[in-house]
Amino acid sequence: GVTAQTRLPGWSVAKTATAVLAGILVGEGRLSLTGPLRVPSWARPDPRSAITLDHLLRMTSGLAWREDYYNPLRSEVLTMLFGAGRLDMAAFAESRPLEDPPGSRFNYSCGSTVVVARELRRALPDDEAYRSFPSRALFGPIGMTSAIFETDAAGTFVGSSYLLATARDFARLGLLLLRDGVWEGRRILPAGFVDAMRTRTPASRHGEYGAGVWL
């Protein structure tokens, strides 16, 4: 029953789209890959103040997190997506304590990408600008007309998971990366950002992950 018009759920692909959206704001000077984040509860002297956007995209934040889809009793991701944390997923992810020094250990985490999605929200002037941002800055310019990025109950995009689009529109996202962030002569991503995305994260066991993308 799947056709070229069927919207399909993109799980890890949603993380890549969120990384691209973050890159657009980096190019506009609204976000920094290595500067401090705007998470209020992580303000100094909290040790989480050392976490950067690059750490979150590379899954090396150091936050305690178990990406376990089989045991709801010991799974942060199930609690965030389907349990008590679903009402404000970013707040739940941001509440996790620091378990390792940022940058020291690769730990694949939907929570990290949801924190990125909230950081996008903090970087934009208001919620109206935030809600329209994916379509205005990415989906519209590259023709992903079917794309829908769902939000949690608090209005934050579930940047880790809930992106729906047709297979052909997901292919457009892939083509944007293959073309170094340029679409029909228009630069969508700042020069060098795609190279950063596909640079292997040293802490990943086999160098299999970059910044928001499986390599």
Side-chain angles (χ1 to χ4, degrees):
V2 175
T3 71
Q5 288 73 46
T6 303
R7 286 187 175 97
L8 305 170
W11 289 83
S12 290
V13 183
K15 296 176 178 68
T16 302
T18 300
V20 169
L21 292 170
I24 293 170
L25 292 183
V26 168
E28 294 178 357
R30 297 176 185 266
L31 287 179
S32 167
L33 274 175
T34 57
L37 298 173
R38 296 175 171 87
V39 183
S41 59
W42 293 1
R44 292 182 180 178
D46 191 296
R48 294 172 296 183
S49 63
I51 299 172
T52 66
L53 177 62
D54 192 58
H55 291 141
L56 293 170
L57 293 176
R58 294 187 178 281
M59 306 296 177
T60 59
S61 69
L63 295 173
W65 190 270
R66 286 163 295 191
E67 191 82 359
D68 186 333
Y69 288 91
Y70 301 98
N71 186 347
L73 299 179
R74 61 182 302 275
S75 172
E76 276 78 23
V77 69
L78 291 178
T79 300
M80 183 184 77
L81 293 177
F82 309 115
R86 74 188 186 280
L87 298 179
D88 191 337
M89 297 188 191
F92 175 79
E94 291 168 358
S95 72
R96 305 306 301 153
L98 200 65
E99 191 171 63
D100 300 287
S104 67
R105 185 170 75 93
F106 177 78
N107 183 25
Y108 192 75
S109 163
C110 280
S112 288
T113 315
V114 174
V115 174
V116 174
R118 177 64 65 82
E119 196 68 7
L120 304 181
R121 189 175 187 176
R122 295 185 178 109
L124 290 163
D126 53 45
D127 281 351
E128 182 177 354
Y130 177 68
R131 285 191 295 270
S132 66
F133 177 62
S135 295
R136 174 175 52 82
L138 176 59
F139 301 149
I142 70 172
M144 286 184 69
T145 56
S146 69
I148 297 172
F149 227 146
E150 295 186 356
T151 69
D152 66 7
T156 301
F157 292 116
V158 187
S160 68
S161 312
Y162 294 163
L163 173 61
L164 300 169
T166 64
R168 293 178 182 184
D169 277 354
F170 279 128
R172 288 174 178 269
L173 181 63
L175 283 172
L176 176 68
L177 298 182
L178 285 173
R179 296 169 178 172
D180 192 38
V182 176
W183 193 269
E184 295 182 345
R186 175 183 173 182
R187 177 158 286 286
I188 305 295
L189 282 163
F193 194 82
V194 174
D195 284 339
M197 289 181 68
R198 64 188 181 198
T199 298
R200 294 179 177 181
T201 297
S204 59
R205 182 177 301 176
H206 306 292
E208 70 271 32
Y209 203 75
V213 62
W214 288 104
L215 303 178

